[in-house]
Amino acid sequence: MKYGAISPEEIFARNESELNVADVVEGIIRDVRQNGDAALIAYAKKFDKADLTSLEVTETEMEEAFAAVEPEFVEILKEAAENIRTFHQQQLRQGFRIEKENGVVMGQKITPIEKAGLYVPGGTAAYPSTVLMDSIPAKIAGCKQLCIATPPSADGKINPVILAAAKIAGVDRIFKMGGAQAIAALAYGTQTVPKVDKIVGPGNAFVAEAKRQVFGRVSIDMIAGPSEILVIADGKSNPAYVAADLLSQAEHDKMASAVLVTDSEELAQAVAQEIENQLKQLPREDIARTSIENNGKIIIAQDFEDVLKVANEIAPEHLELCVDNPFDYLDKIENAGSIFMGRYCPEALGDYFAGPNHTLPTSGTARFSSPLSVDDFIKKTQFTYFTQEALSQVGEKVAFFAEKEGLSAHAKSAVIRLEETL
């Protein structure tokens, strides 16, 4: 049976590069909706080379993974988790209540999202930092159930560091599934996977497209683009530091963007040379070099005021302020996902350890979007209470307003109650 333009059989048979991503994802979503667990197991076989008999990670697997991770790294994960909790705890909201003398009560209550799904990429790399950054705010918000989806390796197992981070973060359930099929399962549910209310986390083009297609059925955090860094540096900056920070993002993938904005031509030239020197030492040189050549930029501005203007126009995911007195410029940075202050605060601190979230708006969306936070896992609900006396004081005004919009039934709903008081 075909689903839309492409059937699951065609997806298996054809080279993915020949297919339109949106069409592929549409077919996968429809397949998972119809066939549930069976579709997920088939996709694990096709894409992950894993023969799965069950989709959910067991408690035994969790314990074995935790024991397999070096104790030193477990302690680092715990310390990072505590830093993340400390930061995000400050984001907790309280509801409010307004009471007027005539008996009117208005307010807003805060309710956590009940179920959240967290996508954690797999493949050639493992990202325990994503587990901590996405799970801890949800737990602080009070989500009742947190589910992770992450692709298995060919042996049907999940990377132990992912499971260790999940245990430390307090994740409730973990499922062996990746790609668009994992997003579909979280959005619609299967025999094993619960249907969630919100899906967060990064992924490849297929994951991003799946999130876009299920949006509305569930909430999502954002459609994340390639990683970005913009470094603001003055002439006193160490070019080796600046180059290293630019390359820290360039090594993510070939589409990543690394930009230096400075008012010093001397620094610009020194950083360009240092980038070339450091590239040769990187294990991921090919990826980083392609990123730098295709998307890297060094922009020399006329003065520091223009430097700040350029940065705000680009609205980067990560922004470094490599200057002596960074707090003097903090309020002048209007558009950035996360700002790293001073000469000894590399962006990598934010990726892993400092505490602020590393799930950030990309592709210029920092102009209107925010980092992942506790707010992403709560709902705000309004409430209003009027007494009969209070309604009698404003009911005619409500009716007049409604008639101006041509909505006579709205007007009647207020006026009919006024008639009781006559």
Side-chain angles (χ1 to χ4, degrees):
M1 178 183 292
K2 287 196 174 185
Y3 307 116
I6 297 175
S7 71
E9 291 77 12
E10 287 179 286
I11 292 170
F12 282 164
R14 295 167 62 183
N15 186 319
E16 288 86 348
S17 65
E18 298 174 359
L19 300 170
N20 178 277
V21 171
D23 289 341
V24 173
V25 168
E26 181 184 2
I28 290 173
I29 291 174
R30 290 177 182 271
D31 188 19
V32 172
R33 289 185 67 181
Q34 177 164 337
N35 298 307
D37 286 358
L40 295 175
I41 289 171
Y43 287 125
K45 174 67 173 176
K46 170 63 179 178
F47 298 123
D48 305 311
K49 314 302 181 188
D51 290 309
L52 300 181
T53 55
S54 62
L55 293 166
E56 187 164 2
V57 173
T58 66
E59 186 60 35
T60 299
E61 288 177 294
M62 288 286 289
E63 292 173 359
E64 290 175 350
F66 201 81
V69 178
E70 310 97 295
E72 181 183 7
F73 188 54
V74 169
E75 291 306 311
I76 291 172
L77 285 173
K78 289 179 178 178
E79 189 174 351
E82 187 56 34
N83 292 340
I84 295 166
R85 287 191 189 96
T86 298
F87 180 85
H88 289 81
Q89 196 76 36
Q90 300 302 311
Q91 298 173 341
L92 273 172
R93 286 178 178 263
Q94 301 295 322
F96 62 85
R97 183 182 177 106
I98 301 169
E99 298 187 14
K100 296 187 175 182
E101 292 180 358
N102 61 0
V104 171
V105 180
M106 298 176 289
Q108 178 176 280
K109 71 185 187 76
I110 304 297
T111 308
I113 289 173
E114 183 176 354
K115 294 178 182 177
L118 317 174
Y119 188 83
V120 180
T124 59
Y127 298 100
S129 58
T130 296
V131 176
L132 299 180
M133 292 288 182
D134 289 358
S135 302
I136 291 172
K139 274 293 183 180
I140 290 173
C143 289
K144 293 180 180 177
Q145 189 172 80
L146 290 178
C147 301
I148 279 183
T150 190
S153 56
D155 62 4
K157 296 182 179 180
I158 303 299
N159 192 304
V161 298
I162 296 295
L163 298 185
K167 184 176 180 67
I168 290 168
V171 172
D172 298 296
R173 302 178 71 182
I174 303 172
F175 298 97
K176 302 174 182 180
M177 56 186 188
Q181 60 271 25
I183 303 302
L186 292 170
Y188 292 97
T190 71
Q191 296 89 336
T192 300
V193 182
K195 178 172 60 177
V196 302
D197 304 304
K198 182 157 190 170
I199 300 172
V200 305
N204 62 18
F206 293 90
V207 170
E209 175 62 21
K211 288 170 70 176
R212 188 190 67 78
Q213 290 192 23
V214 302
F215 176 63
R217 177 72 183 189
V218 295
S219 177
I220 62 172
D221 51 350
M222 63 188 77
I223 305 295
S227 188
E228 309 161 355
I229 187 170
L230 184 147
V231 177
I232 290 176
D234 60 20
K236 295 189 290 183
S237 298
N238 186 323
Y241 293 178
V242 174
D245 293 352
L246 293 169
L247 290 173
S248 74
Q249 295 307 295
E251 74 170 352
H252 266 296
D253 65 69
K254 294 179 180 181
M255 296 297 291
S257 169
V259 177
L260 166 64
V261 186
T262 182
D263 58 353
S264 168
E265 184 173 350
E266 183 180 354
L267 177 72
Q269 293 175 346
V271 169
Q273 183 58 56
E274 189 63 36
I275 286 174
E276 181 57 36
N277 295 341
Q278 292 188 27
L279 269 171
K280 298 172 183 177
Q281 304 169 29
L282 292 178
R284 294 167 68 89
E285 178 186 355
D286 179 60
I287 292 172
R289 185 176 293 279
T290 302
S291 168
I292 290 294
E293 291 177 352
N294 292 345
N295 308 306
K297 292 180 178 64
I298 296 179
I299 300 171
I300 303 173
Q302 186 172 6
D303 53 37
F304 215 75
E305 183 177 338
D306 281 342
V307 167
L308 297 171
K309 182 179 179 180
V310 169
N312 280 321
E313 288 178 355
I314 294 174
E317 177 188 18
H318 307 98
L319 186 147
E320 289 189 5
L321 267 174
C322 294
V323 295
D324 283 335
N325 301 299
F327 287 96
D328 292 348
Y329 303 99
L330 180 59
D331 289 342
K332 297 179 181 180
I333 301 297
E334 299 175 353
N335 302 324
S338 193
I339 303 173
F340 300 85
M341 314 277 287
R343 304 189 191 281
Y344 296 94
C345 190
E347 182 277 331
L349 275 171
D351 279 344
Y352 305 113
F353 200 75
N357 210 281
H358 79 190
T359 302
L360 304 169
T362 62
S363 306
T365 60
R367 292 179 295 109
F368 51 81
S369 298
S370 305
L372 189 77
S373 72
V374 172
D375 284 349
D376 285 284
F377 300 98
I378 62 168
K379 300 173 293 179
K380 292 164 278 188
T381 306
Q382 302 170 162
F383 59 87
T384 307
Y385 169 77
F386 267 59
T387 63
Q388 185 180 35
E389 178 185 359
L391 178 61
S392 70
Q393 295 170 2
V394 300
E396 291 289 352
K397 297 176 183 177
V398 172
F400 190 80
F401 207 140
E403 292 290 358
K404 282 295 184 183
E405 293 193 345
L407 299 173
S408 58
H410 281 63
K412 181 68 173 180
S413 71
V415 171
I416 197 170
R417 288 170 167 81
L418 299 182
E419 294 170 352
E420 295 180 5
T421 63
L422 298 179

